[in-house]
Every structure is written in structure tokens, then in C-alpha cells.
Amino acid sequence: MPKEKIGRLIGFIRTYVYLGDSQLFHKFEEEIKLIIKNPAHMGIYEQILQIDKEDAEERGKAVGKAEVVTNLLNNTDFDIQTIASLVGESVDFVIEVKNKLHT
């Protein structure tokens, strides 16, 4: 399972699952430290901020790649496969951007 999904699952459990008492919560936290091997443990708030930051970075990368694809579609004679290869995205991504240009 990718680290991102594990982090989201742990964040969900920390946020929404009531563990009853603080001793059980601390035991849960200690087990999480062992699993993720992260001695510099973040609290719930910090972890949520980290996940939000990572999501924003991914969205920013996607927007940036969409702009590059748009420029390549508008200013070159490259085919869709070549553009996908140059940008490091799938052919479907390039087609999606191309379709948005024509709407």
C-alpha cells in the first residue's frame, strides 16, 4: 500500500475513531511510530497539514503539466504520444487537456 494511503488511513483513524481512554490512544500512537518508523512523530493537526500540503503540491504539478501540454498542443506539430512522453504523463491526460481546449 502506498505511504500516502497509509498516512491518510492513520489520519482518519486518529481523527474519527474514539479509542476510549488516553492510555489506549498513547499505545496506538506508539504502535504507529513503530509501523511508520518515524521518530519525529507529528500530531494529528500537523499530519493533516502535511497531507493538505502534499495534495496542493500534486494539484499544482497537474496544473503546471496541463499548461505545458496546452502550449505544446497549440505551438507545435507534436502528436499526442510525443507530448505525453515529453511531459511524463499519460496519453489520456493529454487527450483530456486537448478536449478542454475545444470546449
Side-chain angles (χ1 to χ4, degrees), residues 36-99:
I36 62 175
K37 296 175 178 73
N38 184 5
H41 173 66
M42 290 186 272
I44 294 171
Y45 181 73
E46 290 86 1
Q47 186 167 11
I48 291 170
L49 289 176
Q50 180 67 29
I51 291 170
D52 287 345
K53 178 184 173 193
E54 290 169 2
D55 287 346
E57 288 172 354
E58 287 300 315
R59 285 191 306 270
K61 287 178 187 177
V63 169
K65 286 187 177 187
E67 289 176 6
V68 172
V69 168
T70 299
N71 287 334
L72 289 170
L73 287 168
N74 289 333
N75 300 315
T76 69
D77 293 329
F78 295 146
D79 61 27
I80 290 174
Q81 180 65 41
T82 302
I83 292 172
S85 176
L86 288 170
V87 176
E89 280 292 337
S90 67
V91 170
D92 291 337
F93 179 82
V94 176
I95 291 170
E96 183 181 321
V97 172
K98 184 177 181 179
N99 289 339

Side-chain angles (χ1 to χ4, degrees), residues 8 15 29 31 43 51 60 79 83 101:
R8 289 175 187 266
T15 305
E29 292 292 320
E31 292 295 324
I51 291 170
D79 61 27
I83 292 172
L101 290 174

